Amino acid sequence: MDFNHTEERRMLADSLRRSLERGADWAALAELGVLGALFTEDEGGFGGQGFDIAVVFEELGRAGASAPVLEAGLAGGLLADAGRADLVEQVIAGTLKVTLAHSEPGLRYDLGPITTSAASGTVTGRKSFVTNADGADRLVVSALEDGAVALFLVDPKSEGVSLHTTPALMGGTISEVTLDRAPAERLGLAETLETRLAAATLAVCADALGAMETAKAMTLDYLRTRKQFGVPIGKFQALQHRMADVAIEIEMARSAVINLAGHLSDAAPTRDRHVSATKNLTARAAHLVAEEAIQMHGGIAMTEEYALSDISRRLFAVDHRFGDEDWHLARFIRLSA
Amino acid sequence: MDLNYTEEEVAFRDAVRSFLKTQLPEEIARKGAEARPLTKADYDLWHSRLNEAGYLAGSWPKKFGGAEWSAVQKHIFEEESALAHAPRIVPFGVAMLAPVLQAFGSKEQQDYYLPRILSGEDWWCQGYSEPGAGSDLASLKTRAVREGDHYIVNGQKTWTTLGQYANKIFCLVRTGTEGKPQEGISFLLIDMDTPGIEVRPIILIDGVHEVNEVWFTDVKVPVENLVGKENEGWTYAKYLLTHERTGIAGVGFATAGLQSLKRIAKTEMQNGRPLAEDPFFAARLARIEIDLMAMATFNLRTVAGADAGKAPGAESSMLKVRGSILRQQINDLARRAIGPWAQPFVSEQLEGNLYHPGPDHAARATNTYLNNRKISIYGGSNEVQRGIITKAILGL
Ligand SMILES: Cc1cc2nc3c(=O)[nH]c(=O)nc-3n(C[C@H](O)[C@H](O)[C@H](O)COP(=O)(O)OP(=O)(O)OC[C@H]3O[C@@H](n4cnc5c(N)ncnc54)[C@H](O)[C@@H]3O)c2cc1C
């Protein structure tokens, strides 16, 4: 057994952390290999394993970055599965921004049944919760074709596509996408959707882990410096023990993320059991850490201006992406039966 | 033991109900139900309707024009108002300053300020907290130095709720540095229009402008604006803190919150069936309802005790802790209930006029969840309340 990351992954994590602290932009992230790390060598990248995803997203979460990296891995992965090496190359280079448009209103966290349909080179329907669509060059859209779910490439600027975009709780943006006979290029059947969503769920959990570390660091710092009654508030045992619980739950989340990263390439039932276990636990931890960080700060954490507010919203959002606590609990029970 | 209201109490409740039915403007009730922020005009309109009916001063003593409600009546009024989604009575003038003036103010202060509170001429805000003085309020530093007929005030208050609407602020200021920190504090009434006062907005985590910083630079305040005696302001402030405690559990808000949560759970569909039928969600909902049933009785026990002449005392700390947790759990369940619709984060203050793309019941659920993290922080944080419980009730 070895719980250390490889030298390459440690180096990637370190340099990513440093560049994010310096405010790295999209081009810098691509340059650094952040996007390449999400794809296997066969796909044109140099990573693509669970632990590659885990280290990258932990850093993005730690920095509270809203760059569309998850979208690149998810939609880009589906492009790779469709054999579109030409597009994947551009995704890895950072010159083509893509995002997946799959969910639909009323599905909650279920993957189907979808109603968007494809006909003669166009797609029609409504897609929900499409993240960072406003800056995307292409949408990867799922649609029904003779009763089967297939994937299509759609240019969000083309006729027949309209976006209603709002800021997203986790940072970045989120859109409702309406497709009215929008021109669409067929990619193939959506056979690998669940595999790619498993990886994306790992990304969300690792991101949460990084964000939890930041919330912890900020809270610790505040407990050491904020004085009331003549002492740093970190001297109050009521807060000390809760801070200890926060630290414990973060280690639980870290362990759960490792579990999932290590099983991401397993056969679907084993993999998905781990997906649900990790997502359930991480959502609980993220929620606890954010609530406790706010409470232990007091009023200051309630303000938009204080940097914790972005991080705590990001942590609250964890539960709402790719299935919430209860959805994964039910799935875990089903898969364990 | 009798768990029922008396006949008079039932009659009072019916009167409040029919008042709310006929007098609460639909548009304001809708905003309340959807947890959208209210404007100053909304509050002003509602206060004037309450005042016409004699409800605004319901709990004031008769000699000040009040109805001298019992604690149970006051509880009934608050609960019915919350259930009807009426705005809460903005507490700063009616419920916080007025009792202090009635107990410690001069005749002139009472005659001048009390009617203006009821008529809505004055909107008060509360200037207690400072950046360095939160839980440790007695460490406050805003200075008031006497010069002839005036105090000269310098310093900064913060977290001033709805200060942007206020024309008056009641402040705790430091007038003495001798002895314990509590001993050099005075209670001062300040006109917000006085030169040297600056109000700066603070935007909260849900994107709402609800609180402010208030800065004082050489602000001249006439000495007749001192309440009671110099350096005894702490006593008045404490009186204020223990005085108005019936609503502290927020049972009315919780009951209204649970009702709308149940509606959401019936509307949100999961696998073609209402979320309310999901066993995990149903269990979460049921636990909260069970807690609320006990909380309501816990609250009434304390309220009834206060009517029988017992000071609400440290039990109100228990109500505050458990009541705030319960309300926060209801808000938390609402954000769970709306599922992925919790992700679009729309806030007027932060992003202009975007609308939430989801169903109406989802529009404000996340914002409300975020905003109500405050209720375990302000008015004495839950940690401070637990400290009071361990000392005053448990004797540890
Ligand atoms: C939305 C909002 C509205 C408000 N409105 C007003 C208003 O209108 N007027 C006004 O004057 N004030 C107002 N307040 C201020 C409020 O009363 C303070 O936020 C509160 O007293 C806590 O102070 P603080 O935020 O400075 O936190 P701190 O006192 O710094 O506390 C930080 C943390 O330390 C904990 N802590 C502190 N002391 C102890 C202890 N002895 N033992 C254990 N734990 C401890 C706290 O519980 C908290 O978790 C408002 C606050 C908010 C958030």
Side-chain angles (χ1 to χ4, degrees), chain B residues 157-280:
Chain B
K157 294 294 174 182
T158 192
W159 307 122
T160 321
T161 298
L162 301 184
Q164 70 268 37
Y165 299 156
N167 63 328
K168 308 264 182 200
I169 181 168
F170 58 92
C171 285
L172 292 180
V173 293
R174 184 152 301 287
T175 40
T177 47
E178 311 271 289
K180 287 199 291 179
Q182 287 83 348
E183 286 164 12
I185 291 172
S186 298
F187 197 107
L188 211 53
L189 309 175
I190 304 180
D191 206 317
M192 298 283 277
D193 296 332
T194 323
I197 296 185
E198 197 195 329
V199 180
R200 298 182 195 163
I202 299 176
I203 305 301
L204 293 184
I205 187 169
D206 60 330
V208 167
H209 175 198
E210 177 178 305
V211 299
N212 303 271
E213 298 177 337
V214 183
W215 297 70
F216 300 84
T217 316
D218 293 331
V219 174
K220 274 178 87 173
V221 182
V223 284
E224 58 263 29
N225 286 15
L226 176 75
V227 174
K229 297 207 185 89
E230 198 175 87
N231 294 336
E232 293 198 1
W234 188 254
T235 321
Y236 314 147
K238 290 214 97 163
Y239 173 81
L240 188 161
L241 290 178
T242 50
H243 189 265
E244 290 286 326
R245 284 265 160 126
T246 49
I248 201 164
V251 170
F253 292 119
T255 310
L258 185 67
Q259 279 182 359
S260 65
L261 181 55
K262 284 183 173 175
R263 270 195 303 275
I264 297 177
K266 282 195 187 119
T267 324
E268 281 286 332
M269 300 297 280
Q270 171 155 294
N271 295 322
R273 293 173 58 189
L275 181 63
E277 292 174 20
D278 174 81
F280 296 130

Side-chain angles (χ1 to χ4, degrees), chain A residues 146-227:
Chain A
D146 304 327
V149 180
L151 296 176
F152 298 83
L153 204 57
V154 172
D155 181 346
K157 282 168 208 75
S158 60
E159 191 130 346
V161 183
S162 61
L163 264 58
H164 176 81
T165 302
T166 59
L169 192 64
M170 60 279 197
T173 66
I174 195 157
S175 303
E176 293 295 294
V177 179
T178 311
L179 304 156
D180 180 12
R181 282 162 294 169
E185 182 187 342
R186 188 179 186 279
L187 291 166
L189 289 178
E191 282 163 336
T192 59
L193 190 59
E194 294 206 35
T195 307
R196 294 294 174 178
L197 283 172
T201 309
L202 168 62
V204 167
C205 293
D207 184 296
L209 179 60
M212 282 189 258
E213 290 286 5
T214 298
K216 181 180 106 183
M218 291 182 75
T219 308
L220 265 181
D221 193 44
Y222 198 74
L223 291 184
R224 291 193 183 107
T225 49
R226 169 69 170 173
K227 283 192 177 164

Side-chain angles (χ1 to χ4, degrees), chain A residues 103 105-110 126 128-129 131 164-170 174 176 226-230 238-239 242 287 291-292 294-305 308-310 312-313 316-317 319-321 324-327 329-330 333, chain B residues 130-137 139 159 202-207 268-271 275 278 280-281 284 328 332 335-346 350-351 354-358 366 369-374 376-377 381-384 386:
Chain A
S103 187
L107 284 183
R108 272 181 89 82
Y109 300 115
D110 292 339
R126 179 170 159 192
S128 288
F129 319 117
T131 51
H164 176 81
T165 302
T166 59
L169 192 64
M170 60 279 197
I174 195 157
E176 293 295 294
R226 169 69 170 173
K227 283 192 177 164
Q228 288 289 277
F229 304 100
L239 302 188
R242 282 160 58 185
H287 182 248
E291 286 195 347
E292 287 291 67
I294 294 173
Q295 183 65 27
M296 288 193 270
H297 270 85
I300 188 79
M302 288 298 301
T303 67
E304 175 59 28
E305 201 184 350
L308 183 67
S309 62
D310 277 341
S312 35
R313 283 194 299 253
F316 291 133
D319 198 32
H320 298 280
R321 304 190 76 184
D324 71 358
E325 220 183 289
D326 288 353
W327 191 86
L329 189 62
I333 293 171
Chain B
E130 297 180 4
S135 301
D136 182 13
L137 185 57
S139 69
W159 307 122
I202 299 176
I203 305 301
L204 293 184
I205 187 169
D206 60 330
E268 281 286 332
M269 300 297 280
Q270 171 155 294
N271 295 322
L275 181 63
D278 174 81
F280 296 130
F281 192 87
R284 289 182 190 273
Q328 290 175 334
D332 184 52
R335 74 135 185 105
R336 290 176 195 270
I338 62 169
W341 288 116
Q343 294 176 91
F345 177 62
V346 178
L350 295 181
E351 306 289 343
L354 297 173
Y355 69 90
H356 190 286
T366 315
Y369 167 72
L370 292 171
N371 184 274
N372 270 348
R373 300 314 305 166
K374 72 187 175 191
S376 50
I377 295 172
S381 75
N382 280 8
E383 290 69 42
V384 168
R386 289 187 182 101

